[in-house]
């Protein structure tokens, strides 16, 4: 139960990033702020978890909880890119198969 807070923060930040994309669907330049927003939300969640339930986050002080939260929030952006690349690769292989027929 030591690192249960990290996946929770990643999932929450991923959802916030997806909601941000839905809200600003027509403004592609707003997408540049998603990594910053997820890092800030992750930091806030790290601090919140540290003060509300410190045994599920492996942090000795609020600063390390903040750092853990920021890193977890930032990894939500990386998770988004992994998912995007997987689906892009599947589309490319499907398109290549259709062209070969």
């Amino acid at each position: 139960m030591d690192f249960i807070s990290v996946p929770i923060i990643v999932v929450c930040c991923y959802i916030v990033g997806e909601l941000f994309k839905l809200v600003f669907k027509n403004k592609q330049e707003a997408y540049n702020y998603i990594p910053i927003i997820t890092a800030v939300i992750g930091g806030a969640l790290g601090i919140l978890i540290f003060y509300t339930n410190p045994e599920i986050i492996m942090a000795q002080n609020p600063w390390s909880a903040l750092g853990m939260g920021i890193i977890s929030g930032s990894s939500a952006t990386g998770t988004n890119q992994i998912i995007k690349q997987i689906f892009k690769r599947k589309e490319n292989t499907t398109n290549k198969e259709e062209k070969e027929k």
Side-chain angles (χ1 to χ4, degrees):
M1 198 150 145
D2 291 337
F3 283 112
I4 196 163
S5 62
V6 172
I8 291 171
I9 295 171
V10 172
V11 169
C12 289
C13 291
Y14 182 83
I15 291 170
V16 167
E18 290 298 317
L19 290 174
F20 186 84
K21 284 198 293 191
L22 285 174
V23 170
F24 294 102
K25 186 182 276 188
N26 297 329
K27 297 182 180 182
Q28 293 288 326
E29 62 273 357
Y31 288 8
N32 296 334
Y33 297 112
I34 292 175
I36 297 168
I37 291 170
T38 57
V40 169
I41 297 290
L45 286 174
I47 298 271
L48 180 70
I49 291 171
F50 179 77
Y51 282 117
T52 58
N53 204 353
E55 62 270 358
I56 68 168
I57 194 166
M58 296 235 350
Q60 305 301 323
N61 55 43
W63 292 106
S64 60
L66 176 67
M68 232 178 190
I70 289 171
I71 291 170
S72 300
S74 297
S75 67
T77 306
T79 304
N80 179 300
Q81 290 302 311
I82 290 169
I83 292 170
K84 194 185 271 188
Q85 293 300 321
I86 288 171
F87 285 117
K88 185 178 179 182
R89 185 169 292 152
K90 285 182 182 179
E91 286 178 10
N92 287 342
T93 57
T94 306
N95 291 339
K96 286 180 184 178
E97 290 173 1
E98 289 176 1
K99 288 180 182 180
E100 290 175 358
K101 290 180 182 180

